[in-house]
Amino acid sequence: MALSQAILASLAMAGPCSGYDLVKRFDEYISCYWSASHQQVYKELRELEKKGWISPETIAQTGRPNKIVYSITETGKQQLAIWAVLPSDPTPIREPLMIKLKTGGLAPLEPLLAELQRRHQLHQTNLDRLKHFETEVFPQPENPTPADRLHHLTLRRGIRYETEWVEWCEEAIQCVKELIAQSG
Amino acid sequence: MALSQAILASLAMAGPCSGYDLVKRFDEYISCYWSASHQQVYKELRELEKKGWISPETIAQTGRPNKIVYSITETGKQQLAIWAVLPSDPTPIREPLMIKLKTGGLAPLEPLLAELQRRHQLHQTNLDRLKHFETEVFPQPENPTPADRLHHLTLRRGIRYETEWVEWCEEAIQCVKELIAQSG
DNA sequence: TTTGACTATTCAAATTGTTGCATATAAGAT
DNA sequence: ATCTTATATGCAACAATTTGAATAGTCAAA
């Protein structure tokens, strides 16, 4: 499964960190291309450690719980590189919202419109966040390294994805408003 | 789970059909917003039947296996309508290809470029197929019904999604080609 | 002064999805 | 003659994800 590679990639490219901080990375940056809950992350870290692909170091802290900082090992890097050149098919799409649209007509349209407006706002917020990352958090330097440029591509994908959603929501809201006006 | 609603929606809006034909619907149209394997579909059909949300009718055929044609029941329609007005959060994103980009630099870039080109072609093919549906298979009539327009919105989403992928692939291919040229 | 938010990690059950196999029949191609 | 493709359905093992709970300390605000 690719969760392990997402973790390995983060440890390799953004540096060693604890499970807790890794979960934060997932919430903040990684979620635009890979989602994972904290339960998944902690479980996977234990398995990666068992395999010897990452190595733990317990950091004693005062005033808060100790934490375990993980680094990727040489074996881990090799395994990640092997995986990185394998082909991967497009991820299957599963969008409950589209099913809801399809059923439209069986149920009243007003709640659907409200839902589309809520989604519009959600995706707009996400888009703003990603654009902020692009310009403020990870601005491309004058002479970007290959890693900088590849990382930027993943951010571009997130921005395109959310842009597409925002635009589609606007199209859909317009359409459903017209349908409500016609029927009312 | 939304698989059951995807099935109910198809039976309600596109008419009764067998498990086998439902799988074909998933492969052809539905996959642009919901994916499912035949194992999932057949299993779910049996569970929906047990709940009384769909009803089976065995059709005897000569020269090929008998088939079981399912229709949505009144209860099924009611349950679908109840579900359709519930809110649903954006689907979590999981794109292994982006992880591969992130790791770029640990592995050689040429296989990554080949993979991006393969994905470009895949998404282009998919886009062409969806555009064909839009113009040829489900052309919007002069006076579309609400169901026609809502169905069209789901197709629009698919077209936008694949368009975005094709464009991103082109951006990524350009970028990786430059990186290879620099390093070579 | 207790309520809520943040740090830090773990366990377990239930649901959902993937992979591989299995069974028939029939039509058409090599 | 055999091979592939299409019709039509099902089982079972496994992997991945979600949901819900639990522990345990610190800090700041109401």
Side-chain angles (χ1 to χ4, degrees), chain A residues 21-99:
Chain A
D21 288 328
L22 202 47
V23 170
K24 279 206 279 188
R25 287 188 192 173
F26 269 92
D27 288 344
E28 284 163 30
Y29 330 115
I30 304 177
S31 66
C32 83
Y33 57 89
W34 199 274
S35 302
S37 63
H38 76 273
Q39 292 93 335
Q40 277 181 290
V41 170
Y42 280 112
K43 190 163 178 271
E44 195 60 39
L45 283 172
R46 290 192 295 269
E47 277 158 37
L48 285 170
E49 190 194 328
K50 219 182 289 174
K51 284 184 184 167
W53 297 7
I54 60 175
S55 72
E57 193 191 352
T58 302
I59 307 287
Q61 297 187 123
T62 53
R64 60 188 51 186
N66 294 346
K67 64 180 175 180
I68 307 166
V69 169
Y70 293 95
S71 319
I72 188 167
T73 62
E74 269 312 307
T75 314
K77 273 188 198 171
Q78 284 164 20
Q79 293 295 324
L80 184 56
I82 289 169
W83 176 86
V85 295
L86 298 175
S88 52
D89 283 331
T91 306
I93 305 166
R94 294 197 174 92
E95 290 291 353
L97 183 55
M98 298 301 135
I99 305 175

Coordinates of all heavy atoms in Angstrom, one line a residue, chain A residues 21-99:
Chain A
D21 N 3.8 14.7 14.5 CA 4.2 15.7 13.5 C 3.9 15.2 12.1 O 3.5 16.0 11.2 CB 5.6 16.1 13.7 CG 5.9 17.0 14.9 OD1 4.9 17.7 15.3 OD2 7.0 16.8 15.5
L22 N 4.1 13.9 11.9 CA 3.7 13.4 10.6 C 2.2 13.5 10.3 O 1.8 13.9 9.2 CB 4.1 11.9 10.6 CG 4.4 11.2 9.2 CD1 5.3 12.0 8.3 CD2 5.0 9.8 9.5
V23 N 1.4 13.3 11.3 CA 0.0 13.5 11.1 C -0.3 14.9 10.8 O -1.2 15.2 9.9 CB -0.8 13.1 12.4 CG1 -2.2 13.5 12.4 CG2 -0.6 11.6 12.7
K24 N 0.4 15.8 11.4 CA 0.2 17.2 11.1 C 0.6 17.5 9.6 O 0.0 18.3 8.9 CB 1.0 18.2 12.0 CG 0.3 18.4 13.3 CD 0.6 19.7 14.0 CE 2.0 19.5 14.8 NZ 2.3 20.7 15.6
R25 N 1.7 16.9 9.2 CA 2.1 17.1 7.8 C 1.1 16.6 6.8 O 0.8 17.2 5.8 CB 3.4 16.3 7.5 CG 4.7 16.9 8.1 CD 5.9 16.2 7.6 NE 7.1 16.6 8.4 CZ 8.3 16.0 8.2 NH1 8.4 15.0 7.4 NH2 9.3 16.4 8.9
F26 N 0.5 15.4 7.2 CA -0.6 14.9 6.4 C -1.8 15.9 6.3 O -2.3 16.1 5.2 CB -1.1 13.5 6.9 CG -0.4 12.3 6.3 CD1 0.8 11.8 6.9 CD2 -0.8 11.8 5.1 CE1 1.5 10.7 6.4 CE2 -0.1 10.7 4.6 CZ 1.0 10.2 5.2
D27 N -2.1 16.4 7.5 CA -3.3 17.3 7.5 C -3.0 18.6 6.7 O -3.9 19.1 6.0 CB -3.6 17.8 8.9 CG -4.2 16.6 9.7 OD1 -4.7 15.7 9.0 OD2 -4.2 16.7 10.9
E28 N -1.7 19.1 6.7 CA -1.4 20.3 6.1 C -1.1 20.3 4.6 O -1.7 20.9 3.8 CB -0.3 21.0 6.9 CG -0.8 21.6 8.2 CD 0.3 22.0 9.2 OE1 1.4 22.3 8.8 OE2 0.0 21.9 10.4
Y29 N 0.0 19.5 4.3 CA 0.4 19.5 2.9 C 0.1 18.3 2.2 O -0.4 18.3 1.0 CB 2.0 19.6 2.8 CG 2.6 20.4 3.9 CD1 3.5 19.8 4.8 CD2 2.3 21.8 4.1 CE1 4.1 20.5 5.8 CE2 2.9 22.5 5.1 CZ 3.8 21.9 6.0 OH 4.4 22.6 7.0
I30 N 0.3 17.1 2.8 CA 0.2 15.8 2.1 C -1.2 15.5 1.7 O -1.4 14.9 0.6 CB 0.8 14.7 3.0 CG1 2.2 15.0 3.4 CG2 0.8 13.4 2.3 CD1 2.9 14.0 4.3
S31 N -2.2 16.0 2.5 CA -3.6 15.6 2.2 C -4.0 16.0 0.8 O -5.0 15.5 0.2 CB -4.6 16.3 3.2 OG -4.5 17.7 3.1
C32 N -3.3 17.0 0.1 CA -3.7 17.3 -1.3 C -3.3 16.2 -2.2 O -3.7 16.3 -3.4 CB -3.2 18.7 -1.7 SG -1.5 18.8 -2.3
Y33 N -2.6 15.2 -1.8 CA -2.4 14.0 -2.7 C -2.4 12.7 -1.9 O -2.6 11.7 -2.6 CB -1.1 14.1 -3.5 CG 0.2 14.3 -2.7 CD1 0.9 13.2 -2.2 CD2 0.7 15.5 -2.3 CE1 2.0 13.3 -1.5 CE2 1.9 15.7 -1.6 CZ 2.5 14.5 -1.2 OH 3.7 14.7 -0.4
W34 N -2.4 12.7 -0.6 CA -2.7 11.5 0.1 C -3.2 11.7 1.5 O -2.7 12.5 2.3 CB -1.4 10.6 0.3 CG -1.7 9.2 0.6 CD1 -1.9 8.7 1.8 CD2 -1.9 8.2 -0.3 NE1 -2.3 7.4 1.7 CE2 -2.3 7.0 0.4 CE3 -1.9 8.1 -1.7 CZ2 -2.6 5.8 -0.2 CZ3 -2.2 6.9 -2.3 CH2 -2.5 5.7 -1.6
S35 N -4.4 11.1 1.8 CA -5.0 11.3 3.1 C -4.7 10.1 4.0 O -4.7 9.0 3.6 CB -6.5 11.3 2.9 OG -6.9 12.4 2.0
A36 N -4.6 10.4 5.3 CA -4.4 9.3 6.3 C -4.8 9.8 7.6 O -4.5 11.0 8.0 CB -3.0 8.8 6.3
S37 N -5.4 9.0 8.4 CA -5.8 9.3 9.8 C -4.6 9.0 10.7 O -3.7 8.3 10.3 CB -7.0 8.4 10.2 OG -6.6 7.1 10.2
H38 N -4.7 9.5 11.9 CA -3.6 9.3 12.9 C -3.5 7.8 13.2 O -2.4 7.3 13.4 CB -3.7 10.2 14.1 CG -4.7 9.8 15.1 ND1 -6.0 10.2 15.0 CD2 -4.6 9.0 16.2 CE1 -6.7 9.6 16.0 NE2 -5.9 8.9 16.8
Q39 N -4.6 7.1 13.3 CA -4.5 5.7 13.6 C -3.7 4.9 12.5 O -2.9 4.1 12.8 CB -6.0 5.1 13.6 CG -6.8 5.5 14.8 CD -7.6 6.7 14.5 OE1 -7.3 7.5 13.6 NE2 -8.7 6.9 15.3
Q40 N -4.0 5.3 11.3 CA -3.3 4.7 10.2 C -1.8 5.0 10.2 O -0.9 4.1 10.0 CB -3.8 5.2 8.8 CG -5.0 4.5 8.3 CD -5.4 5.1 6.9 OE1 -5.9 6.3 6.9 NE2 -5.3 4.3 5.9
V41 N -1.4 6.2 10.5 CA 0.0 6.6 10.5 C 0.7 5.9 11.6 O 1.8 5.3 11.3 CB 0.1 8.2 10.7 CG1 1.5 8.6 10.9 CG2 -0.5 8.9 9.4
Y42 N 0.2 5.9 12.8 CA 0.9 5.3 13.9 C 1.1 3.8 13.7 O 2.2 3.2 13.9 CB 0.2 5.5 15.2 CG 0.4 6.8 15.8 CD1 -0.6 7.8 15.9 CD2 1.7 7.2 16.3 CE1 -0.4 9.0 16.5 CE2 1.9 8.4 16.9 CZ 0.9 9.4 17.0 OH 1.1 10.6 17.5
K43 N 0.1 3.1 13.1 CA 0.1 1.7 12.8 C 1.2 1.4 11.8 O 2.0 0.5 11.9 CB -1.2 1.2 12.3 CG -1.4 -0.3 12.2 CD -2.9 -0.6 12.1 CE -3.1 -2.1 11.9 NZ -3.0 -2.5 10.5
E44 N 1.2 2.2 10.7 CA 2.2 2.0 9.7 C 3.6 2.3 10.1 O 4.5 1.6 9.7 CB 1.8 3.0 8.5 CG 2.5 2.6 7.2 CD 2.1 1.3 6.7 OE1 1.0 0.8 6.8 OE2 3.0 0.6 6.2
L45 N 3.8 3.3 11.0 CA 5.1 3.6 11.5 C 5.7 2.3 12.3 O 6.8 2.0 12.1 CB 5.1 4.8 12.5 CG 5.0 6.1 11.8 CD1 4.7 7.2 12.9 CD2 6.2 6.5 11.0
R46 N 4.8 1.7 13.1 CA 5.3 0.5 13.8 C 5.7 -0.6 12.8 O 6.7 -1.3 13.0 CB 4.2 0.0 14.7 CG 4.0 0.9 15.9 CD 3.1 0.3 17.0 NE 1.7 0.0 16.5 CZ 0.7 0.8 16.6 NH1 0.9 2.0 17.2 NH2 -0.5 0.5 16.2
E47 N 4.9 -0.7 11.7 CA 5.2 -1.8 10.7 C 6.5 -1.5 9.9 O 7.3 -2.3 9.6 CB 4.0 -2.0 9.7 CG 3.0 -3.0 10.4 CD 1.6 -2.9 9.8 OE1 1.5 -2.6 8.5 OE2 0.6 -3.0 10.5
L48 N 6.7 -0.2 9.6 CA 7.9 0.2 8.9 C 9.1 0.0 9.7 O 10.2 -0.3 9.3 CB 7.8 1.7 8.4 CG 6.8 2.0 7.2 CD1 6.6 3.4 7.1 CD2 7.4 1.3 6.0
E49 N 8.9 0.3 11.0 CA 10.1 0.1 12.0 C 10.4 -1.4 12.0 O 11.6 -1.8 12.0 CB 9.7 0.6 13.4 CG 10.9 0.6 14.3 CD 10.4 0.8 15.8 OE1 9.4 1.4 16.0 OE2 11.1 0.2 16.6
K50 N 9.4 -2.3 12.1 CA 9.6 -3.7 12.1 C 10.4 -4.2 10.9 O 11.2 -5.1 10.9 CB 8.2 -4.4 12.2 CG 8.2 -5.7 13.1 CD 6.8 -6.3 13.1 CE 5.8 -5.5 13.8 NZ 4.4 -6.1 13.6
K51 N 10.1 -3.6 9.7 CA 10.8 -3.9 8.5 C 12.2 -3.3 8.4 O 13.0 -3.7 7.5 CB 10.0 -3.4 7.3 CG 8.7 -4.2 6.9 CD 8.1 -3.6 5.6 CE 6.8 -4.2 5.3 NZ 6.1 -3.5 4.2
G52 N 12.5 -2.4 9.3 CA 13.8 -1.8 9.2 C 13.9 -0.6 8.2 O 15.0 -0.3 7.8
W53 N 12.8 -0.1 7.7 CA 12.8 0.9 6.7 C 12.9 2.3 7.4 O 13.3 3.3 6.7 CB 11.6 0.8 5.8 CG 11.6 -0.4 5.0 CD1 12.4 -1.5 5.1 CD2 10.7 -0.8 3.9 NE1 12.1 -2.5 4.2 CE2 11.1 -2.0 3.4 CE3 9.6 -0.1 3.3 CZ2 10.4 -2.7 2.4 CZ3 9.0 -0.7 2.3 CH2 9.3 -2.0 1.8
I54 N 12.5 2.4 8.6 CA 12.7 3.6 9.4 C 13.3 3.2 10.8 O 13.2 2.1 11.2 CB 11.3 4.4 9.6 CG1 10.3 3.5 10.4 CG2 10.7 4.8 8.3 CD1 9.0 4.2 10.7
S55 N 13.9 4.2 11.4 CA 14.5 3.9 12.7 C 14.1 5.0 13.7 O 14.0 6.2 13.4 CB 16.0 3.8 12.7 OG 16.6 5.1 12.5
P56 N 13.6 4.5 14.9 CA 13.1 5.4 15.9 C 14.2 5.9 16.9 O 15.2 5.3 17.1 CB 12.1 4.5 16.7 CG 12.8 3.1 16.6 CD 13.6 3.1 15.4
E57 N 13.9 7.1 17.4 CA 14.7 7.6 18.5 C 13.8 8.3 19.5 O 13.0 9.2 19.1 CB 15.7 8.6 17.9 CG 16.8 9.0 18.8 CD 17.6 10.2 18.3 OE1 17.4 10.6 17.2 OE2 18.4 10.8 19.1
T58 N 13.8 7.8 20.7 CA 13.0 8.4 21.7 C 13.5 9.7 22.3 O 14.7 9.8 22.7 CB 12.7 7.4 22.9 OG1 12.2 6.2 22.4 CG2 11.8 8.0 23.9
I59 N 12.7 10.8 22.2 CA 13.1 12.1 22.7 C 12.4 12.4 24.0 O 11.2 12.5 24.0 CB 12.8 13.2 21.7 CG1 13.4 12.8 20.3 CG2 13.3 14.5 22.1 CD1 14.8 12.9 20.1
A60 N 13.2 12.5 25.1 CA 12.6 12.8 26.4 C 12.3 14.3 26.4 O 13.0 15.1 25.9 CB 13.6 12.5 27.5
Q61 N 11.1 14.6 26.8 CA 10.7 16.0 26.9 C 10.2 16.3 28.3 O 9.6 15.5 29.0 CB 9.5 16.3 25.9 CG 10.0 16.1 24.4 CD 8.9 16.5 23.5 OE1 9.1 17.3 22.6 NE2 7.7 16.0 23.6
T62 N 10.3 17.6 28.7 CA 9.8 18.0 30.0 C 8.5 18.8 29.7 O 8.5 19.6 28.8 CB 10.8 18.8 30.8 OG1 11.2 19.9 30.0 CG2 12.0 18.0 31.2
G63 N 7.5 18.6 30.6 CA 6.3 19.4 30.4 C 5.4 18.8 29.4 O 4.3 19.3 29.2
R64 N 5.8 17.8 28.7 CA 4.8 17.1 27.7 C 5.3 15.7 27.5 O 6.5 15.4 27.8 CB 4.7 17.9 26.5 CG 6.0 18.1 25.7 CD 5.8 19.1 24.6 NE 5.2 20.3 25.1 CZ 4.8 21.3 24.3 NH1 4.9 21.2 23.0 NH2 4.2 22.4 24.8
P65 N 4.5 14.9 26.9 CA 4.9 13.5 26.7 C 6.1 13.3 25.9 O 6.4 14.2 25.0 CB 3.7 12.8 26.0 CG 2.5 13.8 26.1 CD 3.1 15.1 26.4
N66 N 6.9 12.3 26.1 CA 8.0 12.0 25.3 C 7.5 11.7 23.9 O 6.4 11.4 23.7 CB 8.8 10.7 25.8 CG 9.4 11.0 27.1 OD1 9.5 12.1 27.5 ND2 9.8 9.9 27.8
K67 N 8.4 11.9 22.9 CA 8.0 11.5 21.6 C 9.1 10.6 20.9 O 10.2 10.6 21.3 CB 7.8 12.8 20.7 CG 9.0 13.7 20.5 CD 8.5 14.9 19.7 CE 9.7 15.9 19.5 NZ 9.3 17.0 18.7
I68 N 8.6 10.0 19.8 CA 9.5 9.1 19.1 C 9.7 9.7 17.7 O 8.8 9.8 16.9 CB 8.9 7.7 19.0 CG1 8.4 7.1 20.3 CG2 9.8 6.7 18.3 CD1 7.5 5.9 20.3
V69 N 11.0 10.1 17.5 CA 11.3 10.7 16.2 C 11.8 9.6 15.2 O 12.7 8.8 15.6 CB 12.3 11.8 16.3 CG1 12.8 12.2 15.0 CG2 11.7 13.0 17.1
Y70 N 11.2 9.5 14.1 CA 11.6 8.4 13.1 C 12.4 9.1 12.0 O 12.1 10.2 11.5 CB 10.4 7.8 12.5 CG 9.6 6.9 13.5 CD1 8.5 7.5 14.1 CD2 9.9 5.6 13.7 CE1 7.8 6.7 15.0 CE2 9.2 4.8 14.6 CZ 8.1 5.4 15.3 OH 7.4 4.6 16.1
S71 N 13.4 8.3 11.5 CA 14.2 8.7 10.3 C 14.1 7.5 9.3 O 14.0 6.4 9.7 CB 15.7 8.9 10.7 OG 15.8 9.6 11.9
I72 N 14.2 7.9 8.1 CA 14.3 6.8 7.0 C 15.7 6.2 7.0 O 16.7 6.9 7.2 CB 13.8 7.4 5.6 CG1 13.7 6.2 4.6 CG2 14.8 8.4 5.1 CD1 13.0 6.6 3.3
T73 N 15.7 4.9 6.9 CA 17.0 4.2 6.8 C 17.5 4.1 5.4 O 16.7 4.4 4.5 CB 16.9 2.8 7.4 OG1 16.0 2.0 6.6 CG2 16.4 2.8 8.9
E74 N 18.7 3.6 5.2 CA 19.2 3.4 3.8 C 18.3 2.4 3.1 O 18.0 2.6 1.9 CB 20.7 2.9 3.8 CG 21.7 4.0 3.8 CD 21.4 5.0 2.7 OE1 21.2 4.6 1.5 OE2 21.4 6.2 2.9
T75 N 18.0 1.3 3.8 CA 17.1 0.3 3.2 C 15.8 0.9 2.8 O 15.2 0.6 1.7 CB 16.8 -0.8 4.2 OG1 18.0 -1.2 4.9 CG2 16.1 -2.0 3.6
G76 N 15.2 1.8 3.7 CA 14.0 2.5 3.4 C 14.1 3.3 2.1 O 13.2 3.3 1.3
K77 N 15.2 4.0 2.0 CA 15.4 4.9 0.8 C 15.4 4.0 -0.5 O 14.9 4.4 -1.5 CB 16.7 5.6 0.9 CG 16.6 6.9 1.6 CD 17.9 7.8 1.6 CE 17.9 8.8 2.6 NZ 19.2 9.5 2.7
Q78 N 16.2 2.9 -0.4 CA 16.3 2.0 -1.5 C 14.9 1.4 -1.9 O 14.5 1.4 -3.1 CB 17.2 0.8 -1.2 CG 18.7 1.2 -1.2 CD 19.5 0.1 -0.5 OE1 19.1 -1.0 -0.3 NE2 20.7 0.5 -0.1
Q79 N 14.1 1.0 -0.9 CA 12.8 0.5 -1.2 C 11.9 1.5 -1.8 O 11.1 1.2 -2.7 CB 12.2 -0.1 0.1 CG 12.9 -1.3 0.7 CD 12.7 -2.5 -0.2 OE1 11.7 -2.7 -0.9 NE2 13.8 -3.3 -0.3
L80 N 12.0 2.7 -1.3 CA 11.2 3.9 -1.8 C 11.5 4.1 -3.3 O 10.6 4.3 -4.1 CB 11.4 5.1 -1.0 CG 10.6 6.4 -1.3 CD1 9.1 6.1 -1.3 CD2 11.0 7.5 -0.4
A81 N 12.8 4.1 -3.6 CA 13.3 4.3 -5.0 C 12.8 3.2 -5.9 O 12.4 3.5 -7.1 CB 14.8 4.4 -5.0
I82 N 12.8 2.0 -5.4 CA 12.3 0.8 -6.2 C 10.8 1.0 -6.5 O 10.4 0.9 -7.7 CB 12.5 -0.5 -5.5 CG1 14.0 -0.9 -5.4 CG2 11.7 -1.6 -6.1 CD1 14.3 -2.0 -4.5
W83 N 10.1 1.4 -5.5 CA 8.6 1.6 -5.7 C 8.3 2.8 -6.6 O 7.3 2.7 -7.4 CB 8.0 1.8 -4.3 CG 6.5 2.1 -4.3 CD1 5.5 1.2 -4.3 CD2 5.9 3.4 -4.3 NE1 4.3 1.9 -4.4 CE2 4.5 3.2 -4.4 CE3 6.4 4.7 -4.3 CZ2 3.6 4.3 -4.4 CZ3 5.5 5.8 -4.3 CH2 4.1 5.5 -4.4
A84 N 9.1 3.8 -6.5 CA 8.8 5.1 -7.2 C 8.8 4.9 -8.7 O 8.2 5.7 -9.4 CB 9.8 6.1 -6.8
V85 N 9.5 3.9 -9.3 CA 9.5 3.7 -10.7 C 8.5 2.7 -11.3 O 8.5 2.5 -12.4 CB 11.0 3.4 -11.2 CG1 11.9 4.5 -11.0 CG2 11.5 2.1 -10.6
L86 N 7.7 2.1 -10.3 CA 6.6 1.2 -10.8 C 5.5 2.0 -11.4 O 5.2 3.1 -10.9 CB 6.1 0.4 -9.6 CG 7.1 -0.5 -8.9 CD1 6.5 -1.2 -7.7 CD2 7.7 -1.6 -9.9
P87 N 4.8 1.5 -12.4 CA 3.6 2.2 -12.9 C 2.5 2.2 -11.9 O 2.4 1.3 -11.1 CB 3.3 1.4 -14.2 CG 3.9 0.1 -14.0 CD 5.1 0.2 -13.1
S88 N 1.6 3.2 -12.0 CA 0.4 3.2 -11.2 C -0.8 3.7 -11.9 O -0.7 4.7 -12.6 CB 0.6 4.0 -9.9 OG 1.1 5.3 -10.2
D89 N -1.9 2.9 -11.9 CA -3.1 3.3 -12.6 C -3.8 4.5 -11.9 O -3.6 4.7 -10.7 CB -4.0 2.1 -12.7 CG -3.5 1.2 -13.8 OD1 -2.9 1.7 -14.8 OD2 -3.8 0.0 -13.7
P90 N -4.6 5.2 -12.6 CA -5.4 6.3 -12.0 C -6.2 5.7 -10.8 O -6.7 4.6 -10.9 CB -6.3 6.7 -13.1 CG -5.7 6.4 -14.4 CD -4.9 5.1 -14.1
T91 N -6.3 6.5 -9.8 CA -7.1 6.2 -8.6 C -8.6 6.1 -9.0 O -9.1 7.0 -9.6 CB -6.9 7.2 -7.5 OG1 -5.5 7.4 -7.3 CG2 -7.6 6.8 -6.3
P92 N -9.3 5.0 -8.6 CA -10.7 5.0 -8.8 C -11.4 6.2 -8.1 O -11.0 6.6 -7.0 CB -11.1 3.7 -8.1 CG -9.9 3.0 -7.6 CD -8.7 3.8 -7.9
I93 N -12.4 6.7 -8.8 CA -13.1 7.9 -8.3 C -14.3 7.4 -7.5 O -15.1 6.5 -8.0 CB -13.6 8.8 -9.5 CG1 -12.4 9.1 -10.3 CG2 -14.3 10.0 -8.9 CD1 -12.8 9.7 -11.7
R94 N -14.6 8.0 -6.4 CA -15.8 7.7 -5.6 C -16.3 9.0 -5.0 O -15.8 9.5 -4.0 CB -15.5 6.7 -4.5 CG -15.2 5.3 -5.0 CD -15.3 4.2 -4.0 NE -15.1 2.9 -4.7 CZ -13.9 2.3 -4.8 NH1 -12.8 2.9 -4.3 NH2 -13.8 1.2 -5.5
E95 N -17.3 9.6 -5.6 CA -17.9 10.9 -5.2 C -19.4 10.8 -4.9 O -20.2 10.9 -5.8 CB -17.7 11.9 -6.4 CG -16.3 12.4 -6.7 CD -15.7 13.2 -5.5 OE1 -16.5 13.6 -4.6 OE2 -14.5 13.5 -5.6
P96 N -19.7 10.6 -3.6 CA -21.1 10.5 -3.2 C -21.9 11.7 -3.7 O -23.1 11.5 -4.1 CB -21.0 10.5 -1.7 CG -19.6 10.2 -1.3 CD -18.8 10.5 -2.5
L97 N -21.3 12.9 -3.8 CA -22.1 14.0 -4.2 C -22.7 13.9 -5.6 O -23.8 14.3 -5.9 CB -21.2 15.3 -4.1 CG -21.9 16.6 -4.5 CD1 -23.1 16.9 -3.6 CD2 -20.9 17.8 -4.4
M98 N -22.0 13.2 -6.5 CA -22.5 13.0 -7.8 C -23.7 12.0 -7.8 O -24.6 12.2 -8.6 CB -21.4 12.4 -8.7 CG -20.2 13.3 -8.9 SD -20.6 14.9 -9.6 CE -19.6 16.0 -8.5
I99 N -23.6 11.0 -7.0 CA -24.8 10.1 -6.8 C -26.0 10.9 -6.4 O -27.1 10.7 -6.9 CB -24.5 9.0 -5.8 CG1 -23.2 8.2 -6.2 CG2 -25.6 8.0 -5.8 CD1 -22.7 7.2 -5.2

